[in-house]
Amino acid sequence: MTVRRSAAALAATATVLCAAAAPTAVAAPSPSPSAALPSGLYGTTDPTYDGVWRQSLAFVSQRAVGVTPAAKAVDWLVGQQCDSGAFPAYRPDSSVPCDDKTMIDTNATAAAVQALREVGGHKDQVAIGVDWLKSVQNEDGGWSYTAGGASDANSTSIVIGALARAGQKLGDVTTDGGKTPYDALLTFAIPCGVKDGGAFAYQPDKAGKLVANGDATAAGVLGSLGKGLIVGDYAAVKAPTCHKGAVLKPEQAAQNGAHYLAGALAKTGHLDQPPMPGAEDSAPLPDFGNTADAVVALSASGHKDKAAASVDWLAKNSADWAKQSGPAAYAQLVMAARSTGADVHDFGGADLVAQLNATGPAPAAVKKPTASATEEERKDSGDGDGIGGVWWFVGIGLAVGAGAGFLISGRRKNQQL
């Protein structure tokens, strides 16, 4: 959700914002001893490159399981928004107005829009965030991480989720040339019948070739379905197939992506991180964040049965990764568990909700788990809302920061799966 998003890897300069993300197992650096973190912020690592992202993922996943964030945590996120409606990755002093040097981006903005929509009571902030996202839509119908850059599958997908959750009809979100967000997103889909057919690429490579990317595929599935950061527990349907054809409908592209993810997960139960330069011969490392995102994508497309082994793998193996990576990682695990009907309060023996809550200010309210909690959460979160006959609501995406991966948390955007 994912996307969602790889903020910890965007750490050097403005140009790094378009670079590949850091491995999901690597947490963001700790702040210097003299740097006091805001009291409303989730996580203890340096928020420079992922503060808004991890806060937003925390809120969205908390609301999905009946947790109401503390007022000061919500106020901090609201205070990060610029007058334009955009959000930066992190603004240390919100009393200083945003200017041309403020590093705003579509991913942080889309995540924050969804988070404030879920928290409720912030219609104006959601509205101007939506207006800004629509104002930076590219001529091909998609979005880049930063305004003016070339569209990519991850950014386009998380913006789709934000717009959909905010009640926008995506068929009406068009460019002057009549291009919709789906027109752009489908250009990243690899046709069936070739190597890695059904997958999504982050962007074409320098030669114009589409290279399969697990993170982009999970994001692309959710985007093609009109979903964002959280999805409900859908019943499993027939096995995913890869639809051939030069012209696909968005839902067909989503099923193609699900077909690819199901095959990739069937090998080991998890996705792997792409090898770092110079380490191509070393054993691959598991990618916890993107595996969680793939689980959400499979469930959203009606194939949670194909994600069952991966959910079990995450339950057994993700504890150390989540502890190191922080709130965005816990949020991703909550999303994955909830999307498949797994118990978020007993996930491999851990209470994911309690662990996520502990990374930030004490929540204003916590719903006690009950036998009917899943159905109540589905109603509270708005799952099942329909727009234009396409499934709407969220899954990335897209991130983030401390190495969490839909939606961006630790994303390897430009790397091959």
Side-chain angles (χ1 to χ4, degrees):
M1 3 331 186
T2 163
V3 10
R4 105 220 214 62
R5 311 227 295 250
S6 49
L10 305 175
T13 65
T15 57
V16 179
L17 291 171
C18 298
T24 56
V26 179
S30 298
S32 62
S34 61
L37 294 178
S39 61
L41 180 66
Y42 279 67
T44 58
T45 56
D46 185 354
T48 301
Y49 304 105
D50 80 319
V52 166
W53 177 261
R54 73 197 195 198
Q55 194 91 344
S56 298
L57 261 65
F59 287 0
V60 171
S61 58
Q62 283 179 319
R63 291 302 304 133
V65 293
V67 175
T68 301
K72 66 178 180 180
V74 177
D75 290 344
W76 179 84
L77 182 60
V78 170
Q80 290 291 294
Q81 190 171 33
C82 299
D83 290 342
S84 66
F87 281 79
Y90 176 68
R91 194 151 61 112
D93 186 355
S94 60
S95 67
V96 177
C98 300
D99 56 25
D100 292 342
K101 296 181 180 179
T102 304
M103 300 302 297
I104 56 178
D105 68 80
T106 61
N107 289 236
T109 302
V113 162
Q114 293 183 60
L116 293 178
R117 170 62 178 79
E118 299 313 313
V119 170
H122 296 85
K123 292 183 178 179
D124 291 344
Q125 288 81 8
V126 169
I128 62 172
V130 166
D131 287 344
W132 182 81
L133 288 170
K134 291 165 69 174
S135 76
V136 296
Q137 184 180 19
N138 288 333
E139 283 303 310
D140 63 2
W143 284 267
S144 170
Y145 188 92
T146 54
S151 297
D152 65 77
N154 294 59
S155 299
T156 299
S157 296
I158 193 170
V159 173
I160 284 175
L163 296 179
R165 189 58 188 136
Q168 298 289 305
K169 295 182 179 179
L170 294 183
D172 295 338
V173 182
T174 59
T175 65
D176 291 340
K179 296 289 188 180
T180 73
Y182 291 121
D183 289 324
L185 185 57
L186 296 186
T187 65
F188 305 112
I190 300 175
C192 298
V194 301
K195 184 178 183 294
D196 295 327
F200 282 76
Y202 170 71
Q203 284 177 331
D205 64 15
K206 293 181 179 179
K209 181 181 178 182
L210 296 177
V211 179
N213 181 294
D215 181 32
T217 303
V221 168
L222 292 167
S224 296
L225 293 172
K227 298 179 182 293
L229 294 170
I230 289 285
V231 301
D233 175 10
Y234 295 103
V237 297
K238 63 182 180 181
T241 59
C242 207
H243 300 269
K244 295 183 178 181
V247 180
L248 296 174
K249 295 180 180 179
E251 190 166 337
Q252 290 176 320
Q255 293 301 320
N256 290 358
H259 178 268
Y260 171 82
L261 290 174
L265 291 174
K267 300 174 184 177
T268 60
H270 61 80
L271 300 181
D272 290 329
Q273 296 180 21
M276 297 294 289
E280 289 82 359
D281 295 332
S282 61
L285 296 174
D287 192 325
F288 296 95
N290 284 346
T291 299
D293 290 348
V295 166
V296 173
L298 283 171
S299 182
S301 54
H303 309 293
K304 71 175 184 178
D305 55 321
K306 302 300 181 184
S310 298
V311 174
D312 290 342
W313 181 84
L314 285 168
K316 294 175 182 177
N317 298 285
S318 64
D320 289 343
W321 166 76
K323 182 178 180 179
Q324 180 187 25
S325 299
Y330 285 122
Q332 282 182 280
L333 293 176
V334 169
M335 295 172 191
R338 181 178 179 275
S339 73
T340 55
D343 189 348
V344 294
H345 297 285
D346 185 8
F347 193 71
D351 187 333
L352 295 177
V353 178
Q355 290 177 323
L356 172 59
N357 292 347
T359 66
V366 178
K367 179 192 296 184
K368 294 182 179 179
T370 65
S372 59
T374 300
E375 179 63 24
E376 292 170 1
E377 290 159 9
R378 185 178 295 115
K379 292 177 181 178
D380 290 344
S381 66
D383 285 349
D385 291 348
I387 299 178
V390 183
W391 298 346
W392 298 102
F393 196 40
V394 253
I396 182 135
L398 125 177
V400 177
F406 184 42
L407 55 72
I408 311 184
S409 117
R411 302 221 161 167
R412 301 277 307 177
K413 296 178 180 175
N414 293 313
Q415 299 291 335
Q416 183 176 358
L417 176 66

